[in-house]
Amino acid sequence: MKCDCCGRKKKLFESYVAIKYEDSRINLCAFCNDLAYKIRDDANNNDKELFEKHLEEWINRSKKKSDKFTKWQVEFIKKQKSIFNRMKMAQDKK
């Protein structure tokens, strides 16, 4: 098994995360999975600086990504940017 984001091959006793997507699944190593969670948390916390930093790090890391991961990543990033923008608009109204 290998990470659909960075292409890293699974080693003995190393854990990977399987994300159900459409009719298949995407496998992520712990590092790529952590970056996805950080991006989600940054969007929810409306932390633009960390959001951009983690997003750039994740995009740079995903050089050997699979086609299904690319499709999922685009949807995931769009969703997180949408959440980030809604949070920002809510703060601006205050």
Side-chain angles (χ1 to χ4, degrees), residues 33-58 76-77 79-88 91:
N33 186 57
D34 287 346
L35 280 173
Y37 272 103
K38 287 177 183 179
I39 291 167
R40 186 200 65 187
D41 292 344
D42 295 340
N44 288 333
N45 294 330
N46 201 26
D47 191 336
K48 183 177 181 174
E49 189 174 308
L50 282 177
F51 180 81
E52 293 296 329
K53 176 187 172 224
H54 291 135
L55 184 58
E56 182 179 340
E57 189 176 342
W58 197 33
F76 179 83
I77 291 171
K79 182 178 179 183
Q80 301 315 309
K81 284 185 176 181
S82 170
I83 291 169
F84 183 79
N85 290 333
R86 273 187 289 175
M87 296 288 281
K88 186 175 191 273
Q91 281 187 341

Side-chain angles (χ1 to χ4, degrees), residues 53-67:
K53 176 187 172 224
H54 291 135
L55 184 58
E56 182 179 340
E57 189 176 342
W58 197 33
I59 290 170
N60 288 337
R61 184 168 175 82
S62 60
K63 296 291 184 202
K64 297 179 181 177
K65 56 190 171 186
S66 67
D67 291 336

